[in-house]
Amino acid sequence: MPRSVNHVASRAKRKRILKLTRGYYGARKNVWTVAKNTWEKGLTYAFRDRKNKKRNFRALWIQRINAAARLEGLSYSVLMGNLKKAGIEMNRKVLADLAVNNPEAFKAICDKAKKA
């Protein structure tokens, strides 16, 4: 009995991955084994960088809060400690947004933190 091979499915799988690697440089876009390895490695980078994005944004928010707090005469750590004492529970994303887009509201928060 001859061996049965599903060419339709295997060709479709290769075609799908080669379509995903369009735009890559050199053999990475059209040589099956290289393209497959590149695509798989790309998935690994994507998983890793979804985690790193959160880390990078938190660092950015902290820098923005620190810069705005120093204009009000506070350091970042003192501001965050005083906000905790004052019972103001506001996350860094919102604080950074206020610091950039609404400085008067941030100043009001800093004034409450100074009193605590």
Side-chain angles (χ1 to χ4, degrees):
M1 180 177 242
R3 190 167 71 102
S4 173
V5 183
N6 191 351
H7 286 298
V8 176
S10 56
R11 192 178 307 114
K13 182 180 176 186
R14 283 196 297 272
K15 200 170 179 182
R16 179 177 56 88
I17 290 176
L18 287 172
K19 187 177 179 185
L20 291 169
T21 59
R22 272 196 302 196
Y24 287 13
Y25 183 79
R28 292 169 168 244
K29 68 174 165 275
N30 56 8
V31 176
W32 162 244
T33 52
V34 180
K36 184 168 152 290
N37 292 340
T38 305
W39 172 72
E40 287 173 348
K41 186 75 166 180
L43 293 178
T44 306
Y45 288 141
F47 178 82
R48 180 197 69 190
D49 291 338
R50 280 195 297 274
K51 311 295 175 215
N52 286 354
K53 185 164 79 167
K54 295 165 182 61
R55 186 185 312 165
N56 291 338
F57 268 106
R58 185 180 170 96
L60 175 68
W61 297 331
I62 289 171
Q63 289 171 358
R64 287 178 175 175
I65 294 166
N66 190 25
R70 287 184 186 274
L71 292 175
E72 302 300 327
L74 294 166
S75 70
Y76 170 79
S77 59
V78 171
L79 173 67
M80 295 308 282
N82 288 351
L83 287 176
K84 194 92 158 164
K85 283 181 201 168
I88 300 172
E89 290 187 20
M90 197 174 285
N91 65 22
R92 287 160 183 81
K93 181 178 179 179
V94 173
L95 278 172
D97 186 57
L98 286 176
V100 172
N101 297 321
N102 200 346
E104 53 278 348
F106 187 80
K107 183 175 176 22
I109 291 170
C110 286
D111 291 340
K112 282 192 177 184
K114 285 178 187 175
K115 290 176 186 170

